[in-house]
Amino acid sequence: MKLAKKNKKVVIIERHKEVGGGCTHWGTIPSKALRQSVSRLIEYNSSSLFRGHEKPKHLTFPEILKHASSVVRKQVQLRSGFYDRNRVELIAGEASFIDANTLKIIKADGSNEQLTAKQIVIATGSHPYRPAAIDFSHPRVYDSDSILSLKHDPRSIIIYGAGVIGSEYASIFRGLGVKVDLINTRDRLLSFLDDEMSDSLSYHLWNNGVVIRHREQIDRLETTDESVIVHLKSGKKMRADCLLFANGRTGNTADLNITNAGLAADGRGQLKVNGQYQTEVDNIYAVGDVIGYPSLASAAYDQGRLAAEAMMDHQSTAKLITDIPTGIYTIPEISSVGKTEQELTETKIPYEVGRAQFKHLARAQISNSLVGSLKILFHRETKVILGIHCFGENAAEIIHIGQAIMQQKGEGNTIEYFINTTFNYPTMAEAFRVAALNGLNRLF
Ligand SMILES: Cc1cc2nc3c(=O)[nH]c(=O)nc-3n(C[C@H](O)[C@H](O)[C@H](O)COP(=O)(O)OP(=O)(O)OC[C@H]3O[C@@H](n4cnc5c(N)ncnc54)[C@H](O)[C@@H]3O)c2cc1C
């Protein structure tokens, strides 16, 4: 869009039947729409006002999936409208390189077309990692793409891989009343988070009945018509109605014939780029999941814009922000920006902590969102905000208030902002005022 608005001739090639990418069809949008329905279901079932003495409402995965597909439809309409309005030609087909300026496009009807361009952006995304030893053709074995075609209503599920995707799906299935075994190959859940956030997530998943196993590796998978049995290297085994394998993703480069363009991908199918999103071949740029970290739709949008900027102006110094916020849509939700307590301790930065518990906020009491907290980490001498960590309903929205202050230059970044301003009342944003007062009161 950025290039088209600057009157560049832009063509987009997409192999899926609809635009929107994995973000719209298999990733962000469907998983967040599923989570929203499950959250409302939990709220309804736990509300004495709405549910009264009725038996709990039960929704199946295919039922909530229907609502998610209506969101996907709206997103596709919106996005195809953008292409149309900005005169970006859309070619339906699978692209691969003939050379650094030429692409071959295989269309759905089998016909071929060749396109040449001065510059090319690779934004082909990623797909779930599928180890050869796991039979993904079995009807009870899913990855995060194929889970969206789950037709039956499982009573139990094993989720292998407790990263963001595995943890989010653990929350969704548990919210639907499904028995969940979550197998983590690492020591703790989402170890990149502040320890308190990771501990809170572990506690709440555990408290909701999710069985979490840390430091485990799959040895083999046994499948029958009725169930799946996961044998772990530790000797444990577990049985469930189905398996969701969510242990890593691979960049979509295997079908691109990138060697024809002089490019090579690493072992995870990812491409190397410089600060301007330019690959090792000058006229080819790459953005999004295909370049790896942070593998977020949020960052991919900005990378696309920055790459476009660099393609028009090679001297461009525009950069992605360094503190990219994390939004994790588990139940409860988690969001963070900046440093964790572990990082600050390791680098010996003298910091102080200000905390607000949601249960003490009027707005949280009104909306019955009592689980959660906000914590602000700030420098005890300069009062500069160093990190913000939020756990609980709407954490991913709440975090941006603090992020806006944290991003201010010079003296603009100070925790004192939150006590020198007036907040609407009652709001969840008030957590910033409460946490700031709590933290500043700790100084001596
Ligand atoms: C379950 C799940 C939940 C997620 N939740 C979040 C979230 O909450 N927040 C967030 O920020 N991120 C989230 N993500 C990550 C996010 O979806 C990705 O980071 C984002 O989609 C990456 O965008 P992209 O443009 O790089 O690739 P994609 O969105 O995957 O798009 C790539 C497109 O390229 C097409 N393509 C591939 N190869 C070819 C070819 N050879 N020819 C033509 N077309 C091709 C594909 O069909 C696809 O449409 C989630 C991901 C998953 C799987």
Side-chain angles (χ1 to χ4, degrees):
M1 295 303 156
K2 180 146 188 152
L3 289 166
K5 282 183 197 298
K6 294 285 179 196
N7 299 321
K8 300 281 173 196
K9 188 168 180 212
V10 184
V11 166
I12 186 147
I13 306 156
E14 173 54 60
R15 68 180 173 191
H16 188 59
K17 59 183 189 310
E18 289 171 327
V19 298
C23 171
T24 306
H25 296 283
W26 312 284
T28 317
I29 299 298
S31 63
K32 263 74 268 183
L34 290 169
R35 186 226 178 251
Q36 175 72 10
S37 303
V38 171
S39 273
R40 298 292 77 84
L41 178 69
I42 295 171
E43 197 177 309
Y44 173 85
N45 281 337
S46 54
S47 161
S48 52
L49 179 64
F50 294 113
R51 184 182 138 202
H53 297 294
E54 298 298 314
K55 64 178 179 75
K57 188 167 176 54
H58 178 71
L59 290 176
T60 64
F61 191 79
E63 277 169 339
I64 59 165
L65 209 50
K66 257 193 228 146
H67 167 68
S69 354
S70 75
V71 182
V72 171
R73 253 197 326 277
K74 285 183 195 143
Q75 281 286 311
V76 169
Q77 265 173 7
L78 190 83
R79 285 168 197 284
S80 35
F82 290 155
Y83 290 125
D84 199 43
R85 241 184 297 145
N86 288 285
R87 308 273 188 276
V88 173
E89 189 187 344
L90 178 67
I91 298 182
E94 168 132 21
S96 58
F97 284 93
I98 291 175
D99 61 44
N101 293 93
T102 317
L103 292 171
K104 172 178 164 186
I105 301 152
I106 305 175
K107 303 198 169 172
D109 62 7
S111 63
N112 288 348
E113 185 181 335
Q114 277 193 20
L115 267 189
T116 58
K118 266 199 210 144
Q119 294 168 311
I120 295 173
V121 184
I122 303 177
T124 47
S126 62
H127 62 274
Y129 167 60
R130 287 184 159 205
I134 307 286
D135 175 13
F136 286 92
S137 67
H138 192 278
R140 291 182 180 273
V141 180
Y142 298 91
D143 62 25
S144 64
D145 286 356
S146 59
I147 197 73
L148 297 169
S149 55
L150 178 75
K151 296 280 183 303
H152 62 280
D153 187 19
R155 304 277 303 275
S156 57
I157 186 166
I158 298 168
I159 300 180
Y160 186 82
V164 175
I165 294 172
S167 299
E168 288 185 356
Y169 271 108
S171 298
I172 291 172
F173 279 104
R174 191 61 206 138
L176 290 172
V178 178
K179 274 173 63 185
V180 178
D181 278 294
L182 180 61
I183 305 174
N184 186 13
T185 55
R186 309 199 173 177
D187 285 356
R188 54 188 299 126
L189 287 185
L190 310 180
S191 51
F192 58 90
L193 288 176
D194 185 273
D195 280 354
E196 277 183 359
M197 299 293 121
S198 155
D199 289 345
S200 303
L201 178 65
S202 285
Y203 169 77
H204 282 281
L205 288 180
W206 169 82
N207 195 38
N208 288 330
V210 175
V211 175
I212 308 173
R213 301 256 177 245
H214 297 291
R215 294 177 292 277
E216 298 280 9
Q217 298 281 341
I218 192 165
D219 182 34
R220 69 189 171 89
L221 174 69
E222 196 182 327
T223 49
T224 68
D225 286 348
E226 288 79 37
S227 66
V228 294
I229 300 170
V230 171
H231 296 259
L232 296 173
K233 286 193 174 151
S234 62
K236 296 186 196 74
K237 55 182 174 180
M238 44 195 69
R239 185 171 57 194
D241 289 345
C242 58
L243 169 73
L244 168 59
F245 193 95
N247 201 29
R249 297 183 67 82
T250 308
N252 290 332
T253 45
D255 304 329
L256 287 178
N257 283 334
I258 47 173
T259 45
N260 288 352
L263 283 170
D266 66 15
R268 289 198 245 160
Q270 293 168 358
L271 297 170
K272 227 195 286 150
V273 290
N274 64 18
Q276 296 200 316
Y277 299 97
Q278 193 174 30
T279 64
E280 285 149 337
V281 177
D282 283 359
N283 70 311
I284 303 178
Y285 291 72
V287 295
D289 280 14
V290 79
I291 60 166
Y293 177 84
S295 291
L296 288 171
S298 54
Y301 281 117
D302 297 332
Q303 290 169 347
R305 272 197 295 273
L306 292 170
E309 184 87 42
M311 288 161 78
M312 290 182 290
D313 168 13
H314 296 297
Q315 310 309 319
S316 166
T317 52
K319 283 217 160 19
L320 198 65
I321 57 166
T322 40
D323 284 325
I324 296 171
T326 312
I328 300 162
Y329 298 83
T330 41
I331 301 173
E333 197 166 297
I334 304 171
S335 194
S336 298
V337 62
K339 300 279 183 254
T340 62
E341 287 207 52
Q342 307 89 275
E343 287 168 335
L344 294 174
T345 304
E346 223 162 82
T347 46
K348 297 193 167 58
I349 292 175
Y351 70 93
E352 196 42 271
V353 188
R355 286 193 175 80
Q357 299 290 343
F358 282 10
K359 64 186 174 200
H360 298 142
L361 302 175
R363 182 59 183 257
Q365 291 166 0
I366 293 166
S367 60
N368 202 24
S369 308
L370 302 177
V371 169
S373 69
L374 173 80
K375 113 169 153 179
I376 307 176
L377 308 178
F378 62 100
H379 197 288
R380 58 175 298 134
E381 275 125 42
T382 61
K383 311 218 178 89
V384 160
I385 303 168
L386 303 165
I388 306 172
H389 304 274
C390 190
F391 186 88
E393 191 66 11
N394 284 324
E397 301 280 358
I398 294 168
I399 203 84
H400 290 302
I401 299 164
Q403 183 197 23
I405 302 305
M406 206 177 136
Q407 293 270 311
Q408 298 301 308
K409 301 273 176 280
E411 291 182 359
N413 175 5
T414 170
I415 190 169
E416 288 189 334
Y417 170 84
F418 299 119
I419 53 166
N420 293 333
T421 194
T422 303
F423 281 91
N424 279 332
Y425 180 83
T427 54
M428 295 305 289
E430 204 208 345
F432 281 98
R433 187 174 63 85
V434 175
L437 282 169
N438 174 266
L440 290 169
N441 283 341
R442 292 175 62 85
L443 295 182
F444 56 88

